[in-house]
């Protein structure tokens, strides 16, 4: 059984989106940061749609998206029951309606259905999977940080397969990953996805990208698009206006993922 997150002395309370979202999270282990907010900014969701976040942790990305898009149906999926309790607490504390559930992303289709996530259910899946290769990175002694960060080699395939199963035809998958392993992302999305859009995230001008934000449409056959990148800091180390815009809770990019001007999925 997990500890009661509302009364733990091991928590910090941190402000996101220029103070419009406050999250409790553990002092040690994996902590939400810019990646979660960037992921939320990249999801082209609308009111009334069903959004599912895989590996939600304390709920940072999903709740940041819910702060921008009112009236959406949000489910937060996390394997750690203590983090699920904390995510539910964070949702309530921010007056956001969300459902946090304990579920292994690698579980069977039947287990997903039993948890209220049957096939062809969601309009959007968003995810920030563990992306440090276990054979190339020294594992953290903290179990939570280790689970959140280490990729055992099958993570992308397992998570993208689960996303493909629960997304509606024409539904959108949005994820954040290491820029130097974009090829792995594109390989995983070859099965059942198209209309892939890639946004590179650069720490400063003229620096190589450190992250990629990737969006893809279930069942589409539209070609890959490389969109304008996002630079986080200028040469003096100050946040760029574009980064400030995103970190304050606004959407990244002006065109919906894989959709035409008519709003229908591209063929």
């Amino acid at each position: 059984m997990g500890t009661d997150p509302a009364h733990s002395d091991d928590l910090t309370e941190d402000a996101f989106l220029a103070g419009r979202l406050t999250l409790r999270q553990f002092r040690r282990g994996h902590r939400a940061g810019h990646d979660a907010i960037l992921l939320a900014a990249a999801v082209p969701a609308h009111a009334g749609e069903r959004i599912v976040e895989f590996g939600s942790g304390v709920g940072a990305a999903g709740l940041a998206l819910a702060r921008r898009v009112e009236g959406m149906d949000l489910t937060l999926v996390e394997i750690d029951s203590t983090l699920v309790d904390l995510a539910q607490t964070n949702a309530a504390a921010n007056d956001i309606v969300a459902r946090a559930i304990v579920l292994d992303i690698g579980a069977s289709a039947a287990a997903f259905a039993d948890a209220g996530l049957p096939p062809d259910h969601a309009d959007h899946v968003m995810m920030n999977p563990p992306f440090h290769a276990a054979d190339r990175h020294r594992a953290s002694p903290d179990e939570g940080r280790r689970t959140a960060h280490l990729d055992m080699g099958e993570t992308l395939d397992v998570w993208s397969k689960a996303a493909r199963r629960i997304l509606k035809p024409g539904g959108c998958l949005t994820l954040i990953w290491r820029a130097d392993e974009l090829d792995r992302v594109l390989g995983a999305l070859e099965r059942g996805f198209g209309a892939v859009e890639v946004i590179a995230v650069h720490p400063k001008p003229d620096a190589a990208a450190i992250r990629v934000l990737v969006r893809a449409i279930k069942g589409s056959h539209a070609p890959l698009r490389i969109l304008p990148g996002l630079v986080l800091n200028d040469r003096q180390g100050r946040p760029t206006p574009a980064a400030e815009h995103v970190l304050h809770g606004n959407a990244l990019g002006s065109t919906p993922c894989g959709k035409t001007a008519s709003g229908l999925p591209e063929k």
Side-chain angles (χ1 to χ4, degrees), residues 31-234:
R31 289 175 58 80
H34 281 7
D35 282 6
I37 305 306
L38 292 172
L39 175 61
V43 179
H46 298 87
E49 292 183 324
R50 290 175 176 165
I51 289 82
V52 179
E53 183 186 0
F54 284 177
S56 57
V58 300
L63 296 179
L65 177 60
R67 184 60 81 218
R68 171 166 61 86
V69 182
E70 295 184 2
M72 69 182 204
D73 181 337
L74 176 63
T75 300
L76 304 170
V77 178
E78 170 58 49
I79 195 171
D80 185 328
S81 61
T82 301
L83 294 180
V84 168
D85 291 343
L86 194 49
Q88 198 71 71
T89 297
N90 282 331
N94 286 278
D95 294 322
I96 294 172
V97 177
R99 182 174 69 108
I101 61 173
V102 179
L103 183 64
D104 185 345
I105 306 304
S108 66
F112 268 76
D114 288 344
L117 298 174
D120 302 332
H121 169 80
D123 297 288
H124 295 271
V125 171
M126 55 192 297
M127 62 191 198
N128 179 11
F131 52 57
H132 290 308
D135 61 351
R136 289 190 294 168
H137 292 266
R138 184 169 57 186
S140 168
D142 182 274
E143 182 179 359
R145 183 179 291 271
R146 185 167 59 250
T147 301
H149 286 283
L150 287 187
D151 167 27
M152 303 309 292
E154 300 179 346
T155 302
L156 273 172
D157 290 332
V158 170
W159 287 42
S160 62
K161 179 181 178 181
R164 184 172 69 246
R165 185 175 62 238
I166 69 167
L167 278 168
K168 299 175 180 178
C172 184
L173 169 63
T174 306
L175 65 94
I176 187 167
W177 193 262
R178 293 165 50 107
D180 61 355
E181 292 189 344
L182 174 59
D183 58 332
R184 289 186 59 199
V185 177
L186 298 179
L189 296 180
E190 285 180 350
R191 295 174 287 280
F193 289 97
V196 178
E197 298 178 339
V198 179
I199 303 171
V201 180
H202 302 261
K204 59 183 179 180
D206 303 324
I210 54 173
R211 297 284 186 272
V212 284
L213 290 156
V214 181
R215 300 184 291 219
I217 296 295
K218 177 179 174 177
S220 175
H221 299 288
L224 169 73
R225 296 200 305 162
I226 305 296
L227 301 183
L230 173 67
V231 179
L232 297 178
N233 300 290
D234 62 21

